[in-house]
Amino acid sequence: MYRKHCNYIWSLILRDARNLQEVKEGRNHGLIYNPLIKSYYYRETAFAAKIFASDYMATGSLESKERAALCLDALKSVIGGGKIVRGLDEPVYTPRGVIWRKGSIPATILFLESIIESSQLLDKDYGWCRPFEYLKYLERCYIGGGIFDHDIVQDRGKVIQVINTSAIALYYINLCSSLGCKDEMLLGESKIITKRICGAICRDGFW
């Protein structure tokens, strides 16, 4: 019964990813449309690449493999060569409409992780997104003392100290290290970051 429900949910996810992918030739070819912001969004395209690549690995569907490759090729054409190394902006939904957070760590890291993992599943090169260059971006989000801002730090008086964002940043630092890139500044702070994260965990496991 559990497996049946999971398969049904997966079929809905796959259906929506297919329906929202632009298959017509043009500047948005291969990208995923986000109906909430009424525009094509790179993060959702990277997520869809992972969805399609996972489905290909599970079922052998050539359509899913082609769609995953289409997502990655579309992203390569629009952000290849490190065009967004200042981070990916993230839409936030408010009663007054959508506002954009500049250089959001969660949006950026989940975006990059999806590109890397879907590329690995398809045995494709992901070097075009220059994942290691985003470590410099993370440095610009680092407040100090083991804490990262949610977004790239700009000229503003108040920073948003979010522990789970620091955990996401630490994950990416370690991911890049495992892939062969070592950022001395961030690696030097990793113990402090880890200590700050662990110190903020409540007894129930939440922050």
Side-chain angles (χ1 to χ4, degrees):
M1 182 65 70
Y2 173 76
R3 187 181 187 88
K4 181 179 179 180
H5 290 327
C6 287
N7 287 339
Y8 176 67
I9 293 171
W10 178 252
S11 71
L12 296 180
I13 293 171
L14 195 60
R15 180 201 65 188
D16 287 348
R18 287 170 177 162
N19 290 340
L20 294 170
Q21 185 175 36
E22 181 58 72
V23 294
K24 295 180 181 178
E25 294 293 338
R27 62 189 298 268
N28 297 316
H29 184 56
L31 297 177
I32 297 296
Y33 184 79
N34 182 327
L36 294 177
I37 62 173
K38 298 180 173 60
S39 182
Y40 296 90
Y41 189 42
Y42 302 152
R43 181 189 61 186
E44 268 74 308
T45 303
F47 288 174
K50 180 67 182 297
I51 291 168
F52 292 136
S54 298
D55 187 68
Y56 164 66
M57 295 298 294
T59 67
S61 169
L62 293 181
E63 179 191 355
S64 290
K65 181 181 181 181
E66 291 170 0
R67 284 182 177 272
L70 191 60
C71 287
L72 294 173
D73 290 343
L75 291 172
K76 182 177 180 180
S77 69
V78 293
I79 62 100
K83 293 178 182 176
I84 60 166
V85 291
R86 288 177 57 86
L88 192 66
D89 295 345
E90 179 180 18
V92 178
Y93 315 104
T94 74
R96 292 175 291 180
V98 176
I99 61 174
W100 292 83
R101 303 188 71 122
K102 299 295 183 182
S104 161
I105 285 182
T108 303
I109 301 309
L110 293 175
F111 163 77
L112 291 168
E113 179 191 45
S114 296
I115 290 176
I116 292 170
E117 291 188 349
S118 54
S119 297
Q120 290 174 332
L121 288 175
L122 298 177
D123 197 26
K124 291 173 67 73
D125 175 60
Y126 56 82
W128 54 267
C129 72
R130 300 186 181 180
F132 300 154
E133 291 188 17
Y134 289 86
L135 290 171
K136 295 299 181 184
Y137 148 76
L138 280 182
E139 287 185 12
R140 297 188 60 185
C141 300
Y142 188 54
I143 301 170
I147 294 177
F148 286 82
D149 196 329
H150 185 281
D151 313 312
I152 193 167
V153 176
Q154 304 182 66
D155 296 329
R156 50 190 167 88
K158 185 178 180 180
V159 294
I160 305 171
Q161 302 178 25
V162 185
I163 295 298
N164 62 353
T165 301
S166 298
I168 294 172
L170 180 63
Y171 160 76
Y172 193 71
I173 294 166
N174 290 330
L175 173 64
C176 286
S177 178
S178 72
L179 295 174
C181 180
K182 303 186 184 299
D183 184 289
E184 297 301 327
M185 181 272 183
L186 291 175
L187 282 176
E189 293 287 300
S190 62
K191 288 185 178 180
I192 298 174
I193 299 168
T194 302
K195 183 177 180 180
R196 188 61 180 258
I197 293 169
C198 292
I201 299 176
C202 302
R203 295 181 67 179
D204 58 7
F206 291 95
W207 285 299

